[in-house]
Amino acid sequence: MKPILFNFTDAELEQYIVNMAQPKFRAKQVREWLNRGAPDFASMKNIPESLRKELDSGAQTLPVKIIKKLESGDGETTKFLLELNDGEQIESVLMRTTYGNSVCVSSQAGCAMGCKFCASTLLGLKRNLTANEIYAQILVAQWELRNDKFSEKHIKPNGDANNDDVSHIVVMGTGEPLQNTENVIDFIERANSQMGIGWRRITVSTCGIVPGIDRLIQWGRPINLAISLHAPTDELRSQIMPINNKYKLSEVLDAAWRFTDTHNRQLMIEYILLGKRDENDEIVLYNASLEHAERLSELLRGKNCMVNLIPWNAVDERDFSSLSGNAVHRFQDTLIKNGIHTRIRRERGTDIGSACGQLRLNNAKK
């Protein structure tokens, strides 16, 4: 495998360049391009062509390579299929919005959580990603934005047309972030210090790994926490989320409230609305009845939280069904009636399989 120059320390990169009979200042130039997210050496325009070719023959720039790129029909969402140096593959998603540019990153290659409604866990867990591999997903998106034919169409609310930077990060891609907590923490620290992305613009989503939530509390950074809840009772949640057999609802929510109390941050509750077909082929409300909404309200009443309702996005291998808009709104109305701050997530990139629960590697190695 070719060495990855992004993974080198500055001293190691300088020595690598000097060993090629090049002056030391070339190492600084290469580092600047790496930090911009240059996908190849041909992009490094202020470096002699002969050196670019020599570098290309013996090394690679980032720890991820774009294998495929898909654009949504509205041009607002880009999904990247990325290959790691060992051949494993991951996905990340760039979302262009009126409030900035958000990147959804993966924290693992595959996922071990086994949630019954999600595509990301279909092939199981391959391995954790390194902090560099997570960070490189942001650089891929940043490079895309700075070469983006859509950038002039998306103006920030303050009128700034220079909308070519990543402004928000969500660790909600493939994998369970709190099974890879230290690398996720390292990645977030670097995104904050090196890219200037504020703590309050970074969100980590978890199925409910209680020791991981406690580690985030100990770490002490005021990031946003999202809990993938998806059911208001232990019985129902255990049917669709095996992790609930280890960490019950009460344990997960107690840890989440400790986090919100520590940082005075609003907790995000993620709730996918699922339907099932009965013996008459009619869609019934699996976790989305008004009774479920009442039970969820009981869990959350008086707490500093917001419920993000997510209409289920179709996954071929799963036997759930999407609900009508009326059913979704009735569930929301019940929560709002009970004083629970609630919104329905606008799904982005459903036409390219990048919406919530859809991330999968259709051409991945099995």
Side-chain angles (χ1 to χ4, degrees):
M1 293 185 290
K2 291 182 178 181
I4 300 167
L5 297 194
F6 184 80
N7 291 345
F8 286 12
T9 66
D10 288 343
E12 290 169 342
L13 180 59
E14 183 176 285
Q15 188 60 53
Y16 187 84
I17 295 297
V18 168
N19 289 346
M20 299 173 71
Q22 295 289 330
K24 291 181 179 180
F25 76 86
R26 294 294 183 202
K28 183 178 179 181
Q29 290 177 315
V30 170
R31 177 63 71 191
E32 289 172 350
W33 283 107
L34 294 173
N35 289 341
R36 293 181 200 174
D40 51 47
F41 296 103
S43 305
M44 302 180 180
K45 300 303 183 183
N46 62 344
I47 293 175
E49 183 178 4
S50 58
L51 176 55
R52 280 183 270 157
K53 289 182 177 179
E54 188 175 357
L55 286 168
D56 186 60
S57 67
Q60 70 180 69
T61 56
L62 301 177
V64 301
K65 295 187 293 185
I66 298 176
I67 302 302
K68 183 185 291 186
K69 184 173 71 173
L70 297 174
E71 298 278 359
S72 63
D74 60 11
E76 294 182 352
T77 304
T78 304
K79 180 168 78 167
F80 303 96
L81 174 61
L82 305 170
E83 186 169 81
L84 310 176
N85 209 30
D86 61 358
E88 294 297 342
Q89 296 177 345
I90 59 172
E91 292 177 324
S92 62
V93 180
L94 165 63
M95 296 161 283
R96 304 166 184 84
T97 72
T98 55
Y99 59 80
N101 299 304
S102 182
V103 182
C104 178
V105 299
S106 294
S107 56
Q108 296 179 308
C111 182
M113 292 295 96
C115 297
K116 304 304 183 184
F117 48 80
C118 186
S120 300
T121 192
L122 288 170
L123 298 180
L125 176 65
K126 304 302 182 181
R127 67 172 175 84
N128 285 334
L129 301 188
T130 67
N132 278 354
E133 289 168 336
I134 306 173
Y135 190 82
Q137 295 172 63
I138 302 296
L139 296 181
V140 167
Q142 187 91 310
W143 186 267
E144 176 75 9
L145 286 167
R146 293 181 175 180
N147 296 273
D148 187 356
K149 64 183 178 181
F150 297 105
S151 60
E152 294 180 1
K153 299 180 182 179
H154 298 276
I155 309 300
K156 294 179 181 178
N158 62 8
D160 181 6
N162 184 22
N163 193 11
D164 59 357
D165 289 321
V166 172
S167 59
H168 295 71
I169 295 170
V170 289
V171 191
M172 293 185 183
T174 303
E176 166 51 59
L178 298 188
Q179 282 195 323
N180 189 20
T181 311
E182 297 310 317
N183 282 322
V184 168
I185 285 174
D186 187 11
F187 153 69
I188 293 173
E189 288 279 5
R190 291 169 59 188
N192 174 260
S193 63
Q194 297 178 24
M195 299 190 76
I197 299 176
W199 304 119
R200 297 178 185 272
R201 293 187 171 190
I202 300 172
T203 301
V204 171
S205 174
T206 177
C207 291
I209 309 296
V210 172
I213 298 172
D214 288 335
R215 175 68 180 97
L216 294 183
I217 295 171
Q218 179 191 37
W219 176 43
R221 303 294 190 263
I223 63 170
N224 301 302
L225 180 65
I227 300 293
S228 293
L229 205 68
H230 307 315
T233 67
D234 280 320
E235 180 182 8
L236 185 58
R237 193 168 190 260
S238 293
Q239 291 175 19
I240 58 174
M241 300 180 70
I243 191 63
N244 197 72
N245 293 312
K246 185 169 185 179
Y247 303 111
K248 299 300 184 183
L249 266 173
S250 59
E251 297 175 79
V252 172
L253 287 174
D254 284 349
W257 304 138
R258 290 197 299 274
F259 181 91
T260 59
D261 290 344
T262 300
H263 299 301
N264 193 29
R265 304 295 292 140
Q266 184 181 69
L267 179 70
M268 181 186 293
I269 300 292
E270 297 172 298
Y271 197 100
I272 288 181
L273 296 165
L274 302 169
K276 278 267 194 179
R277 292 193 178 274
D278 63 15
E279 62 275 8
N280 299 315
D281 203 34
E282 298 289 334
I283 296 177
V284 296
L285 303 176
Y286 180 78
N287 69 341
S289 69
L290 298 187
E291 180 183 352
H292 291 131
E294 293 287 354
R295 295 290 295 271
L296 183 60
S297 299
E298 292 173 13
L299 289 176
L300 306 180
R301 188 175 282 112
K303 297 296 187 179
N304 183 17
C305 66
M306 188 273 291
V307 176
N308 204 9
L309 296 178
I310 307 168
W312 186 68
N313 298 297
V315 176
D316 291 341
E317 295 85 350
R318 303 305 193 188
D319 61 352
F320 291 104
S321 298
S322 300
L323 301 181
S324 68
N326 286 339
V328 172
H329 283 283
R330 283 195 297 270
F331 196 93
Q332 180 190 34
D333 290 344
T334 301
L335 293 177
I336 292 173
K337 176 200 71 176
N338 290 325
I340 310 300
H341 181 201
T342 309
R343 71 183 182 193
I344 299 171
R345 178 182 292 178
R346 177 192 167 193
E347 292 306 317
R348 300 176 183 275
T350 53
D351 57 332
I352 56 172
S354 64
C356 184
Q358 286 187 316
L359 287 189
R360 58 152 96 238
L361 306 178
N362 287 326
N363 62 335
K365 300 171 184 177
K366 299 191 178 183

